[in-house]
Amino acid sequence: MASKAIPLLSTKPWRRIKLRTICGGHSSANASSSSAVANSETAVAGNKILETHTEEFDVGSRKITLETGKLARFANGAVILAMEETKVLSTVSSDMCDGTRDFLPLTVDYQEKQFAQGLIPNTLMRREGAPKERELLCGRIIDRPIRPLFPAGFYHDVQVMASVLSSDGRQDPDVMAANATYAALMLSDIQWGGPIGVIRIGRIGGQFIDNPSMDELSLCDLNLVYACTKDKTLMIDVQAREISEKDLKAALRLAHPEAGKYLDPQIRLAAKAGKQKREYKLSLVSKETYEKIRSLAKAPIETVFTDPTYGKFERGEALDNIMQDVKKALEEECDEEGLNFLSKTIDTVRKQVVRKRIIGEGLRVDGRRLDEVRPLYCEVGNLTVLHGSAIFSRGDTQVLCTVTLGAPGEAQRLESLVGPPSKRFMLHYSFPPFCINEVGKRVGLNRREVGHGTLAEKALLAVLPPEDNCPYTVRINAEVMASDGSTSMASVCAGSMALMDAGIPLKEHVAGLSMGLISDIDPSTGAITDYRILTDILGLEDHLEDMDFKIAGTRNGITAIQLDIKPAGIPLDIICQCLEPAYKGRLQILNHMDGEINVPRTQECRSSPQILTLEYSNDVIRRLIGPLGTLKRKIEEETGVIK
């Protein structure tokens, strides 16, 4: 059958058509002749030379390259880090404001676009949308180590933007983006206390591996991300399959020198292409104003903090009243500087009072000993209609966890450059405003909620049965009912009990708690002269102390860790000392959980959906499905069966 000719694609010769230009009204023929003369006199563009600087070095068996000067030349600092065929670009920008804020407005955005693997996004608009959970988590890995290293009083806008340029699927770009960011900060004119390095350590068959590939990581029983300066630890993030405290210490001591291999290349690159550090305005209170506020506030603050009968809100109200009294005194004196720095200075006085009492007397704000866990409450099955539910309270912190079981086809689909295409276990953490008696809006994905939920999810993942024994898709909702410290670890405890209430055959119960640190620091050297380790910290202690060290695990070992700190690093020896009291506190919580439920519910005692496996021949399957799947859809509609 002859095809019909398309006029625009026909082979007929084009006729010359005279067009009139918009500007002058001359024909196009005259315009082309005049432009030819002009082109003969136009200078030919020369070749632009981009001055680039690179540093190459080895970490483990991987060759790593840092490069600057080729892309994002207008950014305050920009570095491309390459490992094999995976390349990540990280840029740093800053804005000089008047510095009158009382916080550091640091923003970290990490993005994985599908072009990095030669793919078009599978969305309606065929472009990337809001940040995915993985992107938020990678941004947190970048953010957490750099925040403590900005100088005191540095309250200028800083934005980090990291994006994956290409990915071969063999390397996880998250740690690469973090190291690229640290190098970019070293190149910039921003005042910052780097360099720092971060590394991932895995373990297969008892052997530790630096920078494991994605294939190796799937076989590892340890996934450790460790960030440090030359001599201090800044961040720890762990997912493990019940690793012992002894083996974890060995992994941390191996990770420190390996992460340190990133430091010298950053220094050399900054020497080649770094900018002169700019003098930013620092928002610091004068000594005279500080002493004035301290003299007014110290005695009443000591009265509040030495009375263990105060609850969270009573204590907060009393401290607010003290601040209002000091504010009135400053207003009477028209002390403008004192009013501007009142909140920060009062907070500093609080820290000094709490630290002095803990180090000097060994007493905490609520009257507990340093190694004492708050009173516990456990309850399961309180929502009988649901597949599983549990309530866990530790002190005033309370979390309700519910479990929903679904079919294998309801697993969450993941669209990331690396990792599995789906996951069948999800823990969604929610922190509503009422849990701290505040008014607020519920918006989309919250970085804090995503981070806390993922930490609890990693802690429980190690004890889930294999998919062959438990093919359900499992979703846990962790709803914070009241918050006074370490709600993520309370979510682990409640989630573990709720899973057993739903009949999931867990290997062991998982419990978690948060460890804290109070230290005295020599201002001249920055060295820690004295310190105390705290077990199961309050929300106020979390705010006033030096670190929040969340540790979750079973009786047999650790399953998840997250360490965040406030000073510019903590010695690794002190961090390792926290593992033993954390284990003792974890055992106390596990005993209470076992007292409530220690074996999974049986089939008859729960309302979970059932999974049945039926075998059919090919002929029977064809009759079962029916023409175009009509019978299959009818069965699903009438019975509620889910594939």
Side-chain angles (χ1 to χ4, degrees):
M1 184 174 179
S3 61
K4 187 176 179 180
I6 301 175
L8 290 178
L9 301 181
S10 62
T11 57
K12 294 181 181 180
W14 292 91
R15 291 179 294 174
R16 187 182 300 274
I17 303 174
K18 290 187 177 182
L19 302 175
R20 301 184 69 82
T21 61
I22 296 175
C23 299
H26 297 289
S27 66
S28 60
N30 294 336
S32 60
S33 61
S34 61
S35 63
V37 176
N39 288 336
S40 64
E41 300 175 357
T42 302
V44 178
N47 294 327
K48 182 177 179 62
I49 299 176
L50 300 179
E51 184 180 4
T52 61
H53 302 276
T54 61
E55 283 290 332
E56 290 187 356
F57 57 101
D58 295 328
V59 177
S61 60
R62 316 288 182 189
K63 181 175 289 294
I64 297 171
T65 303
L66 296 174
E67 181 183 67
T68 187
K70 181 175 289 187
L71 297 180
R73 296 169 64 86
F74 282 175
N76 201 329
V79 169
I80 299 173
L81 189 145
M83 186 186 301
E84 297 179 355
E85 295 302 319
T86 299
K87 296 184 178 182
V88 179
L89 168 68
S90 185
T91 62
V92 177
S93 303
S94 62
D95 182 23
M96 290 191 68
C97 62
D98 55 7
T100 56
R101 301 185 183 95
D102 60 353
F103 66 96
L104 170 63
L106 171 64
T107 304
V108 178
D109 294 314
Y110 171 90
Q111 190 171 29
E112 294 179 348
K113 291 190 174 182
Q114 293 297 305
F115 73 77
Q117 282 191 330
L119 299 174
I120 296 175
N122 187 25
T123 61
L124 180 63
M125 302 302 294
R126 294 297 186 265
R127 63 187 303 165
E128 287 77 14
K132 298 184 284 291
E133 282 191 14
R134 172 179 159 78
E135 291 173 323
L136 297 178
L137 295 171
C138 293
R140 284 171 58 86
I141 287 179
I142 299 171
D143 181 300
R144 287 157 51 197
I146 63 177
R147 193 174 288 271
L149 296 183
F150 288 94
F154 185 95
Y155 301 142
H156 301 273
D157 287 287
V158 177
Q159 185 177 39
V160 174
M161 300 190 73
S163 56
V164 183
L165 300 180
S166 65
S167 173
D168 57 12
R170 293 193 293 269
Q171 298 296 328
D172 195 326
D174 57 353
V175 170
M176 298 175 60
N179 282 303
T181 299
Y182 310 151
L185 281 166
M186 290 292 293
L187 294 177
S188 71
D189 63 14
I190 302 171
Q191 297 180 20
W192 185 67
I196 63 178
V198 61
I199 194 167
R200 171 173 275 113
I201 300 291
R203 188 177 73 164
I204 300 177
Q207 298 296 319
F208 294 116
I209 305 173
D210 297 350
N211 292 324
S213 66
M214 294 306 299
D215 292 338
E216 291 172 333
L217 200 57
S218 64
L219 303 175
C220 289
D221 62 358
L222 170 68
N223 182 358
L224 164 65
V225 178
Y226 180 88
C228 64
T229 60
K230 183 179 180 180
D231 53 359
K232 292 183 179 180
T233 302
L234 288 168
M235 182 198 72
I236 298 174
D237 202 275
V238 171
Q239 179 179 359
R241 299 174 189 167
E242 299 182 283
I243 186 172
S244 67
E245 280 75 9
K246 179 181 177 181
D247 290 346
L248 180 63
K249 290 178 184 179
L252 293 173
R253 298 195 185 282
L254 169 67
H256 193 95
E258 292 300 310
K261 294 180 180 179
Y262 287 89
L263 305 184
D264 287 341
Q266 294 179 36
I267 295 173
R268 293 195 298 266
L269 190 65
K272 295 178 183 177
K275 297 179 180 179
Q276 182 73 26
K277 295 298 180 181
R278 192 190 303 183
E279 291 296 327
Y280 286 82
K281 178 182 178 181
L282 301 181
S283 182
L284 298 173
V285 63
S286 65
K287 184 176 181 180
E288 293 77 12
T289 300
Y290 170 77
E291 290 296 337
K292 179 192 295 185
I293 296 175
R294 181 175 178 272
S295 63
L296 293 171
K298 182 181 178 182
I301 288 176
E302 286 179 340
T303 302
V304 173
F305 282 157
T306 54
D307 188 351
T309 62
Y310 277 104
K312 174 178 179 175
F313 292 104
E314 293 81 6
R315 188 184 301 114
E317 183 179 355
L319 293 173
D320 287 340
N321 292 335
I322 294 172
M323 183 177 292
Q324 292 303 319
D325 293 341
V326 176
K327 183 179 179 181
K328 289 179 183 178
L330 295 176
E331 287 175 341
E332 292 175 358
E333 299 179 10
C334 299
D335 189 340
E336 193 68 27
E337 182 189 11
L339 292 172
N340 290 337
F341 289 96
L342 176 61
S343 178
K344 270 290 186 185
T345 307
I346 289 287
D347 194 54
T348 302
V349 177
R350 292 176 187 173
K351 291 180 180 179
Q352 291 178 344
V353 171
V354 171
R355 288 166 178 266
K356 181 180 178 181
R357 188 162 186 258
I358 289 177
I359 291 180
E361 304 175 27
L363 294 176
R364 299 164 69 169
V365 173
D366 57 355
R368 284 183 294 151
R369 301 188 307 273
L370 301 186
D371 60 349
E372 187 176 348
V373 178
R374 287 174 285 174
L376 304 171
Y377 173 82
C378 302
E379 180 184 349
V380 299
N382 56 305
L383 301 174
T384 56
V385 176
L386 305 184
H387 301 160
S389 61
I391 297 174
F392 178 83
S393 296
R394 182 175 56 239
D396 289 333
T397 295
Q398 184 184 63
V399 173
L400 165 68
C401 274
T402 63
V403 173
T404 306
L405 305 181
E410 294 182 287
Q412 181 183 358
R413 288 178 294 178
L414 305 176
E415 293 184 358
S416 59
L417 299 180
V418 294
S422 64
K423 67 176 182 179
R424 66 183 186 97
F425 176 64
M426 300 157 279
L427 191 149
H428 296 154
Y429 169 97
S430 179
F431 191 90
F434 69 77
C435 72
I436 50 174
N437 196 28
E438 289 186 356
V439 177
K441 293 182 179 180
R442 298 310 310 268
V443 292
L445 284 178
N446 177 289
R447 293 186 182 224
R448 180 181 177 276
E449 290 183 336
V450 171
H452 281 44
T454 301
L455 175 62
E457 182 181 299
K458 292 191 296 186
L460 293 170
L461 195 60
V463 297
L464 286 180
E467 189 171 358
D468 294 340
N469 299 339
C470 183
Y472 292 105
T473 293
V474 183
R475 183 194 184 205
I476 296 178
N477 280 82
E479 306 290 331
V480 180
M481 298 288 107
S483 173
D484 191 16
S486 193
T487 53
S488 61
M489 295 295 95
S491 300
V492 173
C493 302
S496 181
M497 292 190 295
L499 286 170
M500 280 200 177
D501 185 51
I504 302 298
L506 301 184
K507 293 168 56 180
E508 292 271 351
H509 261 318
V510 183
L513 76 169
S514 188
M515 307 296 294
L517 177 71
I518 296 290
S519 62
D520 268 344
I521 298 178
D522 186 344
S524 60
T525 63
I528 294 178
T529 57
D530 198 4
Y531 64 91
R532 298 291 183 273
I533 296 172
L534 310 182
T535 299
D536 182 25
I537 57 175
L538 294 169
L540 179 64
E541 291 172 332
D542 182 13
H543 174 68
L544 298 178
E545 42 127 50
D546 295 331
M547 76 174 185
D548 182 11
F549 193 10
K550 300 182 179 71
I551 306 173
T554 66
R555 298 179 185 275
N556 302 320
I558 293 170
T559 59
I561 281 179
Q562 180 177 293
L563 169 67
D564 294 315
I565 67 170
K566 297 182 181 69
I570 295 174
L572 182 57
D573 289 339
I574 295 179
I575 292 172
C576 290
Q577 290 177 27
C578 298
L579 297 178
E580 183 62 28
Y583 176 68
K584 294 179 180 178
R586 190 165 76 242
L587 290 182
Q588 298 179 41
I589 300 171
L590 288 169
N591 290 336
H592 277 76
M593 294 167 60
D594 285 338
E596 180 64 18
I597 182 171
N598 57 8
V599 292
R601 298 284 190 204
T602 61
Q603 195 90 357
E604 295 78 16
C605 299
R606 58 192 177 94
S607 58
S608 304
Q610 305 301 312
I611 292 182
L612 299 177
T613 302
L614 303 176
E615 296 183 359
Y616 295 98
S617 65
N618 291 337
D619 292 337
V620 175
I621 289 177
R622 281 193 290 269
R623 293 198 302 270
L624 182 66
I625 294 176
L628 300 178
T630 53
L631 292 179
K632 170 180 171 293
R633 289 193 295 272
K634 183 179 179 181
I635 293 173
E636 291 175 349
E637 292 172 359
E638 293 179 354
T639 64
V641 171
I642 302 174
K643 180 180 178 180

